[in-house]
Amino acid sequence: MVAVKGKMVMVGRQDGALFATEALCRHMRWPLAWGGKVKDGCVRCPLHQTTHKIEDGSLQEWAPFPLFPPFGKVVGKLSRQKDLTIYPVRENDGMIQVEF
Ligand code: FES
């Protein structure tokens, strides 16, 4: 997680390819770099398991955790469902460049 021009960005690699997303979970703003899992082309927040596709930021699953009802449903309704912002990123001369 890094600050770029006042924005918090999470930069990572998946299967050797760089990706850059907004750094904070769309559900309750948890920093995704703090325990988030990247798997199967998605990033999953460690708090309530909200999952977005890295390719386009589309929402895959919204706050399904905790699974024990009714808490999961209540936690999910604390904010509106949103996609994750994805930024174009490239490596150039040993530097990682993120475009806003
Ligand atoms: S803060 Fe990320 S899923 Fe709730």
Side-chain angles (χ1 to χ4, degrees), residues 12-19 91:
R13 280 191 198 276
Q14 179 185 241
D15 300 327
L18 280 171
F19 65 86
E91 214 164 354

Side-chain angles (χ1 to χ4, degrees), residues 60-87:
Q60 303 300 297
E61 199 170 16
W62 186 255
F65 189 83
L67 302 174
F68 182 76
F71 300 119
K73 287 186 187 319
V74 171
V75 167
K77 290 186 176 177
L78 292 176
S79 62
R80 283 189 351 183
Q81 298 186 13
K82 304 165 208 101
D83 290 340
L84 189 68
T85 302
I86 305 297
Y87 301 108

Side-chain angles (χ1 to χ4, degrees), residues 9-80:
V9 178
M10 178 173 75
V11 178
R13 280 191 198 276
Q14 179 185 241
D15 300 327
L18 280 171
F19 65 86
T21 74
E22 62 183 296
L24 305 179
C25 178
R26 296 310 313 253
H27 178 231
M28 291 176 69
R29 314 303 287 162
W30 179 264
L32 292 170
W34 296 358
K37 300 278 186 246
V38 175
K39 186 178 173 193
D40 298 332
C42 294
V43 58
R44 178 177 285 252
C45 177
L47 276 198
H48 312 108
Q49 315 290 301
T50 290
T51 303
H52 291 89
K53 222 179 204 176
I54 289 174
E55 182 182 18
D56 60 4
S58 60
L59 177 64
Q60 303 300 297
E61 199 170 16
W62 186 255
F65 189 83
L67 302 174
F68 182 76
F71 300 119
K73 287 186 187 319
V74 171
V75 167
K77 290 186 176 177
L78 292 176
S79 62
R80 283 189 351 183

